[in-house]
Amino acid sequence: MSLTYEKLIDKYEPVLGLEVHVELGTKSKMFCGCSTVFGAEPNTQTCPVCLGLPGALPVVNAKAIEYTIAIGLALNCSIAPFSRFARKNYFYPDMPKNFQTSQYDEPICFGGYLDVKVDTDEGVKEFRIEIERVHMEEDTGKSLHMGGATGRIHGADYSLLDYNRAGIPLVEIVTKPVAGTGKYAPEVARAYVSELRDILRSLGVSDVKMEQGSLRCDANVSLRLIGAEKLGTRSETKNVNSLRSVERAVRSEMLRHAALLEKGERVIQETRHFHEDTGDTTPGRSKEQAEDYRYFPEPDLVPVAPAKDWIEKIRATLPEKPSARRTRLQESWQVPDKEMAAMINADVLDQVEQTVNLGADPTRARSWWLGEIARIANERELPASSLPITPNDVAEVVALIGKGELTDKLARQVVEGVINGEGRPREIIEKRGIKVVSDDSALMAAIVNSIKAQPEVAEKVRGGHIPAAGALIGAVMKETKGQADAAKVRELLLKHLGQA
Ligand code: ADP
Ligand code: MG
Ligand code: ZN
């Protein structure tokens, strides 16, 4: 018997565990001087250290440590006065040393938290997510499986290896088990990754592009009977690569676990893969047996012992917290909670802020980014920020409306044109010949026509029945193909019929 989501929530409590990997935006790799630029020709950014050649000696990238400490501080963590790197031993073709240099029982940052807000039908709720640890490690290379239909290793003819990514500094941020989110577990998971991404972006430590893999989330989920103490068995959905997918993957796993438990079956502890197209997960690697990675302290690297005053210097230069920034913007724009949440959810806060900074009225700026632009973004299943329209364009459109050179309706055509790549607003206005008909004589000609066509309606208006004017205004707007300013038409019409 599978349960509906509502029934599941009555019976079980979901527990989350979120592991986020973020590639740091340092110029060079974690333990060598190779470049980290994305998209270079395969195997052009390698050296004896990141290829794991015998005798090559690694040196820690100080910038990577500074970034990691900044992340830890922003997440309210303690910073270890002394921590060591460890070798995590296993074989994989994209990891030429046969071990990953990581941290094990001595992470550089530990014991923090992050508060996240979720917009629910019961209002905006806040949840505290406890952070277990923030540690440093290095990324692996990339395997490309060729010749198969799916790009996966199964069914492939051969594999290619690109070591450009091997050794790029990676920070892993791991939560404690997160309980108490109830039915909002999927939304909390999403809000956490979103908030974390905003923090990392504000710190300038990573370009946090989920679609390019510079920020990746593994979502652990388990269920336990409500009231039970002991945690259920978790599954770990790997490398979920968008905020929306984080939410969908958690929900899908909750439903899958519940269906198993209701049948009296057990959940297998394993990794899983999420599929965007079906919204389902499929099994990956079993984790029933704890793997023994034979961790041991890395003998080639000195321990990390950041000086107190260095830590304090990093703390003193932390930027404004995204949550504080949101509060500040909300107050200055005078927006209700719901609208604020809508902007955050649509990820257009930056765009709205920049549009306002370019002189647009906050209400206008917001209504474009949340209205027409969000609608088109939704239709195309893309984030609004990836459409080819900029805050500059929107500020210009708002200004043109203000000057009476565009009506709302015409402005929508211009915005659509910009999004379709036809050019900047001015060019589109010129190319499409868009202009507001504000010339009184042209409007009067259309008004006279509308009265001729509907004389009985005009009589009503003359007799004082003002609402009837709507039909005439509509006819004028139609004749001028929406290029007339409706308020102006109304004014002229009522005057003409002796009502103003
Ligand atoms: P692994 O190496 O298997 O990925 P980690 O300890 O790095 O293990 O990460 C496991 C994540 O899952 C952590 O965030 C942890 O808090 C969380 N977690 C552990 N047990 C459970 C459980 N039973 N249910 C949900 N989450 C869990
Ligand atoms: Mg993991
Ligand atoms: Zn290198």
Side-chain angles (χ1 to χ4, degrees):
M1 258 300 291
S2 63
L3 289 182
T4 61
Y5 193 74
E6 287 68 31
K7 292 249 172 66
L8 178 168
I9 289 306
D10 286 342
K11 186 164 175 187
Y12 298 100
E13 188 199 14
V15 175
L16 299 168
L18 298 161
E19 299 165 69
V20 169
H21 280 100
V22 56
E23 271 180 5
L24 296 182
T26 51
K27 289 202 180 65
S28 58
K29 293 188 180 179
M30 187 71 216
F31 303 112
C32 62
C34 290
S35 165
T36 57
V37 173
F38 182 79
E41 278 287 297
N43 297 310
T44 55
Q45 296 169 347
T46 59
C47 75
V49 172
C50 56
L51 288 177
L53 301 188
L57 282 175
V59 176
V60 172
N61 181 334
K63 199 75 189 170
I65 294 189
E66 180 188 319
Y67 282 179
T68 309
I69 292 175
I71 295 170
L73 293 173
L75 297 175
N76 309 291
C77 290
S78 307
I79 309 299
F82 179 95
S83 67
R84 279 182 298 185
F85 285 94
R87 289 191 180 185
K88 180 181 184 183
N89 296 282
Y90 65 102
F91 169 79
Y92 207 76
D94 60 19
M95 200 180 58
K97 296 186 296 193
N98 286 343
F99 62 84
Q100 183 186 28
T101 308
S102 181
Q103 291 191 301
Y104 181 50
D105 48 356
E106 299 175 54
I108 183 159
C109 318
F110 57 94
Y113 64 87
L114 179 61
D115 291 328
V116 303
K117 283 188 178 156
V118 173
D119 185 26
T120 74
D121 344 320
E122 311 160 77
V124 175
K125 286 184 177 261
E126 191 167 75
F127 297 89
R128 173 155 294 187
I129 311 296
E130 309 267 355
I131 311 275
E132 170 89 39
R133 58 195 272 142
V134 175
H135 76 241
M136 282 180 288
E137 55 186 43
E138 56 177 339
D139 214 342
T140 56
K142 214 176 195 161
S143 312
L144 298 153
H145 305 296
M146 313 302 287
T150 59
R152 289 185 182 274
I153 193 162
H154 290 284
D157 295 331
Y158 60 97
S159 298
L160 294 173
L161 290 161
D162 177 5
Y163 292 111
N164 283 352
R165 200 178 66 180
I168 289 192
L170 210 55
V171 163
E172 181 170 357
I173 302 155
V174 184
T175 69
K176 295 208 164 115
V178 182
T181 60
K183 67 173 170 178
Y184 301 118
E187 287 90 348
V188 170
R190 177 195 177 126
Y192 168 76
V193 179
S194 165
E195 186 69 28
L196 187 55
R197 189 186 58 167
D198 284 354
I199 287 184
L200 296 167
R201 189 190 284 136
S202 77
L203 293 173
V205 297
S206 168
D207 64 6
V208 291
K209 288 190 177 148
M210 291 189 85
E211 64 293 350
Q212 282 185 5
S214 55
L215 188 134
R216 332 193 261 270
C217 173
D218 298 345
N220 294 266
V221 176
S222 68
L223 295 182
R224 62 180 170 192
L225 283 172
I226 285 181
E229 182 91 20
K230 193 165 172 279
L231 294 179
T233 305
R234 69 184 160 111
S235 60
E236 179 183 354
T237 306
K238 302 292 286 181
N239 294 335
V240 188
N241 71 352
S242 73
L243 293 178
R244 183 163 169 264
S245 296
V246 170
E247 182 175 336
R248 290 172 79 208
V250 168
R251 178 182 286 263
S252 149
E253 280 300 278
M254 285 169 64
L255 287 163
R256 190 182 65 83
H257 286 209
L260 286 170
L261 297 173
E262 287 299 295
K263 279 192 288 189
E265 293 178 17
R266 66 185 191 93
V267 174
I268 297 174
Q269 188 170 333
E270 63 188 356
T271 66
R272 310 217 19 125
H273 302 288
F274 179 70
H275 305 281
E276 303 266 347
D277 46 353
T278 58
D280 285 339
T281 64
T282 51
R285 166 168 69 92
S286 166
K287 281 204 170 179
E288 301 262 276
Q289 257 98 39
E291 278 146 291
D292 189 349
Y293 291 114
R294 294 270 159 189
Y295 278 103
F296 66 83
E298 168 61 63
D300 286 344
L301 288 166
V302 293
V304 179
K308 259 213 177 89
D309 56 348
W310 190 36
I311 296 172
E312 289 317 310
K313 214 167 118 197
I314 298 172
R315 195 196 301 278
T317 53
L318 290 180
E320 179 185 28
K321 283 212 156 87
S323 55
R325 168 177 171 243
R326 286 196 297 266
T327 308
R328 174 173 59 76
L329 292 177
Q330 185 170 7
E331 273 166 17
S332 103
W333 297 342
Q334 301 273 308
V335 241
D337 286 353
K338 273 270 169 209
E339 289 241 358
M340 198 66 195
M343 276 186 275
I344 294 160
N345 209 20
D347 202 13
V348 294
L349 211 54
D350 288 353
Q351 282 79 358
V352 174
E353 186 185 20
Q354 287 165 32
T355 308
V356 172
N357 289 345
L358 288 163
D361 165 65
T363 311
R364 287 261 176 184
R366 188 167 83 236
S367 79
W368 279 106
W369 285 105
L370 274 183
E372 191 66 5
I373 302 172
R375 185 185 63 72
I376 297 175
N378 246 337
E379 248 172 44
R380 304 190 184 177
E381 297 194 3
L382 284 171
S385 58
S386 72
L387 296 176
I389 185 162
T390 64
N392 240 322
D393 297 328
V394 179
E396 188 171 356
V397 165
V398 171
L400 289 170
I401 297 172
K403 281 193 268 179
E405 288 182 40
L406 285 178
T407 60
D408 281 346
K409 184 165 176 192
L410 294 175
R412 276 200 292 279
Q413 294 176 22
V414 173
V415 163
E416 211 182 279
V418 175
I419 294 174
N420 287 335
E422 289 171 37
R424 313 271 56 98
R426 288 274 180 203
E427 297 170 72
I428 291 163
I429 290 169
E430 202 149 295
K431 266 194 252 167
R432 291 200 185 181
I434 292 175
K435 66 169 191 294
V436 177
V437 180
S438 58
D439 159 14
D440 285 9
S441 62
L443 290 181
M444 273 320 292
I447 286 171
V448 169
N449 286 344
S450 76
I451 292 172
K452 256 193 219 145
Q454 305 179 71
E456 18 9 285
V457 179
E459 254 337 286
K460 276 193 201 159
V461 179
R462 274 201 191 92
H465 187 57
I466 307 293
L472 299 172
I473 297 169
V476 173
M477 296 306 288
K478 201 163 168 201
E479 187 175 332
T480 56
K481 300 198 183 72
Q483 301 195 337
D485 175 349
K488 185 93 185 267
V489 172
R490 183 183 168 84
E491 188 192 314
L492 290 172
L493 175 82
L494 291 180
K495 201 159 158 201
H496 185 68
L497 296 176
Q499 295 302 323

